[in-house]
Amino acid sequence: MSAGAPHGAGGRGPEDGGGLRASLSGLTTRGRSFLAAGIAAGLCAYVLGQSELLRVGLLLAVLPLLCVLALHRTRHRVSGTRRLTPMRVPAGSEARVQLRLDNTSRMPTGLLMLQDRVPYVLGPRPRFVLDRVEPGGRREVSYRVRSDLRGRYPLGPLQLRLTDPFGLVELTRSFSAYDTLTVIPRTEALPLVRFTGESSGYGDGSRRSLALAGEDDVIPRGYRRGDDLRRVHWRSTARYGELMVRREEQPQRSRATVLLDTRRLAYEGAGPDSAFEWAVSAAASALVHLLEQGFSVRLLTDTGDCVPREGGGFTSGGQESAEAAGLMMDTLAVVGHSDGAGLSRACDAVRSNGAGSGFGGAGGDGLLIAFFGDLDDVQTGLAAKMCRRGGGAVAFVLDSADWSGRPPGLASVMAQGLPLLEERLAGLRDAGWTALAAPPGVPFGELWRQAGNAPIGAAGGSGSAGGWG
């Protein structure tokens, strides 16, 4: 028996669990009764000298042992595969799991029960009963899984229960292979807006011509399918031994940083409707939207961790960009609260990347989209330092008092050292942020629209809706 990989390839077999001795332990009550009756009949035949009774005893005793041997051999000649479609789904969506069982032996199987292990958050454990699989035959069954909670969930290993036609032996074996279902955050389609200080992902200023002082100054690159053969640079082709073409124009993508505040002390509550889950989902929506608009994007957290790590931390376009986008969504699928108390590492990552490059988190023509939890005076000051004049910087601030449903009493606010929400927003706007409150119940798409129509430093709240600019 073998378990398959996610796309139907052959895999490793089940765990033997002790070999033939383990198979003997699979005798059912009927099988043990047959064996005991056979032994008793053999003893009686020996004492009484009855040869006919001895033959009956041998039949009763040998039949369960033959069934054990048959199943012990059969279990190695049954293969199974699992196909998970798709392997990455948004929270609340379904994925289909298809199981296929092949009988590769020359004998039919008995009654089989197929069972797949799934985490309880994905639903009940699926069980299927298969009645006799002919030699060389196959059976296919499927089930669906669904989770409202993001994360990575293992599927498997697949378990198979084998029985003989007489019901004397029952063996349960587990396949060794398993798959992983990644449940990413829900995303929301966002309106197309242009933030103040932002340059488009691909616009008039998104290309720059290389200065060509002569043929030796041409910067060549490898030939790609579809390139004009008139651009082949023969000198570089001879030098590198492969076809090279001139890069007369080099595309330059505007960069955007999505900053997610994951500090544990910045959020209250848990579950799909909590403030932190809203921030994760909103960050995922912003990432997808910016990638669709042609931006080179990176994901940054308060710990200073950046995804992707290659290429200066930004997606590079093409197939690499698609892989990096999947990596960022996988990161958001499992991101949790950090134990950090401040935003200093994130501030250093934003400022260091923007120094001298013109593409910092909010510097030059870069764009910074931040999702903050509760901010005290120190963290508000650090967030203010991230904003650079001339760049687009948009902050969505979540207030724990609003999301937890408790009134933000002034005494409790002062005791925690937290300014009121409007004071936090005002501090960010004074530094050049377009800052908006993110209260519960307001779609992120509406907040995105408001941010796109608000000038730098303008007051933007949950209740103000701007028109299209």
Side-chain angles (χ1 to χ4, degrees):
M1 229 184 309
S2 65
H7 298 287
R12 297 174 56 189
E15 299 175 357
D16 290 341
L20 187 59
R21 179 175 299 179
S23 300
L24 287 172
S25 65
L27 286 169
T28 63
T29 302
R30 181 185 300 178
R32 296 176 187 274
S33 300
F34 267 60
L35 185 60
I39 295 175
L43 292 176
C44 292
Y46 176 77
V47 172
L48 300 177
Q50 298 291 331
S51 58
E52 293 81 1
L53 184 59
L54 179 60
R55 286 193 287 269
V56 173
L58 289 176
L59 175 63
L60 293 176
V62 170
L63 184 59
L65 299 179
L66 291 177
C67 292
V68 168
L69 290 175
L71 285 185
H72 183 72
R73 288 180 54 84
T74 302
R75 68 177 189 179
H76 295 289
R77 314 195 65 153
V78 177
S79 63
T81 58
R82 179 193 299 105
R83 186 187 298 272
L84 176 60
T85 310
M87 301 186 67
R88 183 188 292 119
V89 296
S93 300
E94 290 186 343
R96 184 170 180 263
V97 183
Q98 184 175 359
L99 305 175
R100 192 182 77 180
L101 194 71
D102 295 273
N103 181 14
T104 59
S105 67
R106 298 181 179 178
M107 298 179 59
T109 67
L111 189 66
L112 303 177
M113 190 181 80
L114 206 60
Q115 176 178 280
D116 207 8
R117 288 187 176 183
V118 299
Y120 73 94
V121 296
L122 298 182
R125 179 172 296 182
R127 293 182 176 90
F128 305 94
V129 177
L130 306 179
D131 185 15
R132 189 182 181 276
V133 182
E134 65 278 4
R138 69 175 56 175
R139 296 291 184 271
E140 292 186 359
V141 294
S142 63
Y143 64 95
R144 296 184 179 273
V145 291
R146 178 181 180 273
S147 175
D148 292 328
L149 300 175
R150 58 185 177 85
R152 292 173 62 89
Y153 302 100
L155 299 178
L158 189 65
Q159 290 183 329
L160 184 65
R161 183 178 297 174
L162 304 173
T163 60
D164 67 287
F166 305 102
L168 302 179
V169 185
E170 182 178 277
L171 297 180
T172 301
R173 292 292 181 263
S174 295
F175 292 90
S176 58
Y178 67 93
D179 300 319
T180 301
L181 174 67
T182 303
V183 181
I184 61 178
R186 292 185 179 94
T187 58
E188 181 180 347
L190 303 179
L192 184 60
V193 297
R194 185 179 178 87
F195 296 109
T196 305
E198 168 201 350
S199 67
S200 59
Y202 283 116
D204 296 335
S206 63
R207 289 181 178 267
R208 62 181 176 91
S209 298
L210 296 175
L212 303 179
E215 192 175 0
D216 293 337
D217 295 328
V218 175
I219 302 178
R221 63 167 173 82
Y223 174 82
R224 299 172 186 168
R225 185 176 180 180
D227 285 339
D228 190 348
L229 293 179
R230 291 174 296 181
R231 294 172 55 193
V232 173
H233 191 252
W234 297 109
R235 180 175 297 181
S236 298
T237 299
R239 179 185 302 173
Y240 294 105
E242 60 177 323
L243 205 58
M244 307 292 289
V245 297
R246 296 182 179 89
R247 286 196 298 181
E248 297 174 354
E249 285 187 340
Q250 179 176 328
Q252 182 168 286
R253 310 175 75 194
S254 296
R255 299 186 178 184
T257 298
V258 176
L259 171 61
L260 177 62
D261 181 9
T262 65
R263 295 173 298 132
R264 188 183 304 275
L265 53 81
Y267 301 92
E268 292 184 8
D273 298 327
S274 64
F276 181 68
E277 292 300 323
W278 186 94
V280 173
S281 179
S285 300
L287 284 170
V288 172
H289 178 77
L290 293 171
L291 287 169
E292 291 175 350
Q293 299 306 314
F295 280 83
S296 181
V297 185
R298 68 169 176 171
L299 172 65
L300 183 67
T301 65
D302 59 289
T303 60
D305 295 333
C306 183
V307 181
R309 295 183 180 275
E310 295 79 10
F314 291 90
T315 56
S316 57
Q319 182 65 27
E320 293 80 6
S321 180
E323 294 176 356
L327 180 59
M328 287 187 286
M329 297 304 292
D330 289 345
T331 301
L332 289 177
V334 297
V335 68
H337 289 294
S338 68
D339 295 328
L343 301 171
S344 58
R345 293 183 179 178
C347 181
D348 294 338
V350 170
R351 293 175 63 86
S352 62
N353 186 269
S357 66
F359 299 104
D365 65 346
L367 178 64
L368 175 61
I369 306 295
F371 299 88
F372 294 120
D374 287 329
L375 300 173
D376 56 21
D377 292 335
V378 175
Q379 307 314 317
T380 302
L382 289 174
K385 294 180 181 179
M386 300 181 194
C387 183
R388 295 178 181 271
R389 298 293 179 180
V394 182
F396 300 94
V397 184
L398 290 82
D399 184 67
S400 296
D402 289 343
W403 283 86
S404 61
R406 59 176 175 81
L410 183 59
S412 62
V413 169
M414 297 304 295
Q416 298 178 28
L418 298 175
L420 294 174
L421 177 59
E422 285 303 321
E423 294 182 11
R424 290 181 252 163
L425 297 176
L428 294 176
R429 293 172 190 143
D430 291 341
W433 285 86
T434 299
L436 291 87
V442 178
F444 179 56
E446 178 60 28
L447 296 177
W448 186 267
R449 186 195 304 270
Q450 294 178 25
N453 292 285
I456 294 179
S462 60
S464 62
W468 288 94

